[in-house]
Amino acid sequence: MSNFRTIFDQYNWEAVSQSIYSKTSLDVERALKRDKRDIEDFKALISPAAAPYLEQMAQLSHQLTLKRFGKTMQLYIPMYLSNECQNICTYCGFSLDNKIPRRTLNGLEILKEVETLKSMGYEHVLLVTGEANKTVGVDYFEQVLELIRPHFAHISMEVQPLRQHEYEKLLPLGLNTVLVYQETYHKEDYKKHHPKGKKSNFYFRLDTPDRLGKAGVHKVGLGTLIGLEDWRTDSFFTALHLDYLERTYWKTKYTISFPRLRPFSGGLEPKVAMNDRELVQLICAYRIFNEEVELSISTRETEIFRNNVIKLGITSMSAGSKTNPGGYTVEPQSLEQFEISDERSPQAIVEMLKAQDYEPVWKDWEAAYQ
Ligand code: SF4
């Protein structure tokens, strides 16, 4: 049985990086003209050589997104259930070595948070926890899904990577989507950013989308944390991963996020900065490379940036988010995982979307379609 690891191991980070940085304007023009693009075209589109073509890329990305998704924007909201974590990650406020009060929401507290999210209009919730097997393991996820399933049309999870049989247990309980970001595909530096805990196992994480595909999950989310390593090289590996997964688990849908490292209590400075123009280039490059993939942008980005990228390829966004457990109602003052940039309410986001002639979509999924 195939897995992405065998493909990944054939690549060398330095060689990939060199190949991206040596792309020319001819490569970019060829990529823009073609009907079907391959991974070499993606390299050209994310390369420095593509920077002068940003306007052209933005127009093409807009047209392709309109053709496939129309003028719609899916809305979702994260619900942080726990900040307990057994891992050390250099970039995260919940890291084990960060001395903060730890907290995991119980059933009653979760229902209070649910009530608040429902009053905002949400039908799609993203459940987030740290990685602590004893407190937030599969048993906890089973209980949470049973509790909240009646309240939401779409449930996503961003928690520790699980085994295939564990995902298979959660799917009938209402789990639709799993986000599992590799953080970085730079194998050696991955170890530096994840020195302790289960997350330090690079390949266990890399293999997770394969386990999800085999388990038959509806949608898988990929991405890297932009700022840890060279974003172009990391994005190449994300696109390579996406391409493999689409060909292997073709019934599954995919979504990509581009989180840029944000400040947090005791935080890490980005090693590699990415400016707004470069993020726009990356969003457009993904869309031109892949017309089907969902592209998602969170409240990490500023109000102005988010207003401006609506038309460039993004298909889903969060609004009104809190990144601390109980952050909506139960314990608004607990420590955040990272600082939010766009603090507008969901209603303000809806108005902004409508002003741009876009339709906000609260509910994109019905269990009956399964
Ligand atoms: S990124 Fe996730 S695994 Fe790492 S410290 Fe934060 S919550 Fe824990």
Side-chain angles (χ1 to χ4, degrees):
M1 195 91 177
S2 68
N3 71 6
F4 180 64
R5 183 196 294 223
T6 51
I7 296 172
F8 175 80
D9 280 343
Q10 293 166 24
Y11 285 84
N12 168 279
W13 177 280
E14 298 305 329
V16 167
S17 184
Q18 215 174 7
S19 147
I20 295 169
Y21 282 86
S22 62
K23 291 289 180 193
T24 65
S25 51
L26 275 181
D27 296 320
V28 179
E29 284 169 22
R30 193 171 47 231
L32 287 171
K33 272 191 216 131
R34 297 179 77 178
D35 285 339
K36 278 242 167 261
R37 282 114 193 154
D38 60 22
I39 199 75
E40 287 301 315
D41 295 319
F42 182 75
K43 277 187 192 167
L45 294 170
I46 58 172
S47 73
Y53 295 85
L54 193 56
E55 182 57 38
Q56 216 175 318
M57 286 176 67
Q59 282 179 18
L60 182 54
S61 177
H62 174 62
Q63 286 161 14
L64 294 172
T65 310
L66 271 189
K67 193 173 78 180
R68 168 67 183 80
F69 297 91
K71 286 186 161 185
T72 62
M73 186 65 61
Q74 295 171 38
L75 295 176
Y76 72 94
I77 193 154
M79 176 160 71
Y80 277 67
L81 301 172
S82 173
N83 60 7
E84 296 195 45
C85 193
Q86 295 301 313
N87 292 325
I88 293 183
C89 300
T90 55
Y91 47 82
C92 177
F94 295 169
S95 185
L96 179 66
D97 55 350
N98 206 3
K99 300 296 169 220
I100 55 163
R102 303 287 169 169
R103 192 180 202 314
T104 297
L105 301 188
N106 64 32
L108 273 178
E109 291 170 330
I110 292 170
L111 286 176
K112 274 192 195 161
E113 294 283 282
V114 165
E115 207 180 308
T116 306
L117 301 188
K118 293 298 293 186
S119 70
M120 295 174 173
Y122 280 105
E123 285 291 341
H124 179 179
V125 69
L126 166 65
L127 305 177
V128 187
T129 70
E131 302 194 6
N133 231 349
K134 282 195 186 140
T135 36
V136 284
V138 178
D139 293 349
Y140 180 77
F141 302 141
E142 281 182 308
Q143 289 163 21
V144 173
L145 286 172
E146 272 169 7
L147 196 64
I148 70 164
R149 187 185 195 180
H151 304 282
F152 293 100
H154 191 139
I155 302 176
S156 300
M157 274 194 357
E158 187 181 343
V159 303
Q160 61 175 308
L162 301 174
R163 306 261 172 202
Q164 182 181 336
H165 73 269
E166 293 171 324
Y167 288 126
E168 283 164 354
K169 244 184 188 179
L170 299 181
L171 291 177
L173 299 176
L175 176 63
N176 304 114
T177 296
V178 176
L179 311 183
V180 57
Y181 304 139
Q182 186 60 31
E183 318 295 12
T184 177
Y185 288 85
H186 192 301
K187 203 166 44 174
E188 290 73 33
D189 282 2
Y190 181 93
K191 291 274 178 210
K192 290 185 199 155
H193 293 298
H194 308 96
K196 186 173 187 294
K198 261 175 71 183
K199 195 168 176 178
S200 60
N201 185 338
F202 177 85
Y203 281 112
F204 186 69
R205 199 164 187 90
L206 190 75
D207 291 341
T208 309
D210 271 293
R211 296 197 297 278
L212 284 161
K214 285 170 190 153
V217 72
H218 170 65
K219 197 188 298 178
V220 174
L222 305 175
T224 58
L225 183 55
I226 293 171
L228 293 185
E229 297 300 331
D230 176 62
W231 64 265
R232 292 186 166 91
T233 314
D234 256 336
S235 302
F236 163 82
F237 282 109
T238 310
L240 188 73
H241 207 163
L242 170 69
D243 203 40
Y244 156 82
L245 291 167
E246 277 191 339
R247 280 184 284 106
T248 312
Y249 311 104
W250 50 272
K251 285 186 181 166
T252 300
K253 291 185 180 307
Y254 298 93
T255 174
I256 302 268
S257 300
F258 340 81
R260 285 193 280 190
L261 194 56
R262 290 285 304 149
F264 71 93
S265 163
L268 175 83
E269 284 298 315
K271 173 174 164 186
V272 186
M274 174 198 235
N275 64 34
D276 287 356
R277 273 184 75 85
E278 289 170 336
L279 182 49
V280 168
Q281 184 186 343
L282 180 62
I283 291 168
C284 296
Y286 273 123
R287 172 60 65 231
I288 296 168
F289 171 62
N290 187 314
E291 298 178 19
E292 296 290 317
V293 70
E294 293 182 12
L295 300 177
S296 181
I297 197 118
S298 78
T299 51
R300 284 174 184 260
E301 298 302 334
T302 63
E303 181 174 335
I304 294 174
F305 185 82
R306 295 206 326 150
N307 291 357
N308 288 327
V309 292
I310 299 298
K311 293 185 173 163
L312 300 183
I314 297 296
T315 55
S316 114
M317 66 197 303
S318 52
S321 308
K322 303 287 180 200
T323 69
N324 47 335
Y328 298 102
T329 306
V330 172
E331 197 177 346
Q333 300 312 325
S334 67
L335 190 102
E336 299 164 314
Q337 188 185 32
F338 57 85
E339 285 174 23
I340 294 299
S341 207
D342 183 352
E343 294 187 337
R344 283 174 294 176
S345 67
Q347 208 40 49
I349 295 293
V350 165
E351 278 158 28
M352 178 273 287
L353 290 169
K354 286 186 175 163
Q356 297 201 46
D357 207 18
Y358 271 65
E359 186 195 340
V361 178
W362 297 95
K363 186 173 179 177
D364 72 322
W365 170 257
E366 197 60 74
Y369 296 159
Q370 231 167 346

